[in-house]
Amino acid sequence: MAKLDQERVDRIYEKLTGQPAVRGSWNVRKRDLAQNIVYIDEACRSVLDAIAAIEHAAPGADMPALEQALRTEFRFLNTLQDRS
């Protein structure tokens, strides 16, 4: 996970728990939830980008490739299940 993503997870964790994220002493369920929030947000943005690419494709664009990109993003989004 990128440093900025890690910082975002820490901020969300602190909002959820009222406590700073300190490795080794954090609530694992809340930490997982914060991490899942970030992953889902990023995945949804990627899905929206793939949809926009289809909507704004120029004539003659490689539509099968754009469709495949969207399906790939959908598959990744489907992997982000609540594990609590």
Side-chain angles (χ1 to χ4, degrees), residues 6 9-11 13-14 17 19-26 31:
Q6 190 64 48
V9 169
D10 290 347
R11 285 192 309 273
Y13 176 86
E14 191 165 343
T17 65
Q19 302 292 322
V22 178
R23 186 176 188 89
S25 64
W26 59 47
R31 176 70 179 181

Side-chain angles (χ1 to χ4, degrees), residues 11-83:
R11 285 192 309 273
I12 292 170
Y13 176 86
E14 191 165 343
K15 294 277 187 177
L16 291 170
T17 65
Q19 302 292 322
V22 178
R23 186 176 188 89
S25 64
W26 59 47
N27 178 312
V28 174
R29 280 187 76 202
K30 296 289 185 178
R31 176 70 179 181
D32 287 348
L33 177 59
Q35 193 168 36
N36 218 24
I37 289 169
V38 171
Y39 285 156
I40 289 170
D41 180 67
E42 291 175 0
C44 288
R45 290 173 195 268
S46 293
V47 166
L48 293 172
D49 288 345
I51 291 169
I54 290 170
E55 288 182 319
H56 302 291
D62 186 355
M63 292 309 290
L66 293 173
E67 181 181 340
Q68 183 58 44
L70 178 60
R71 290 183 185 283
T72 298
E73 296 301 338
F74 281 154
R75 280 193 299 277
F76 178 70
L77 188 57
N78 285 333
T79 67
L80 300 175
Q81 304 296 320
D82 184 18
R83 296 177 296 270

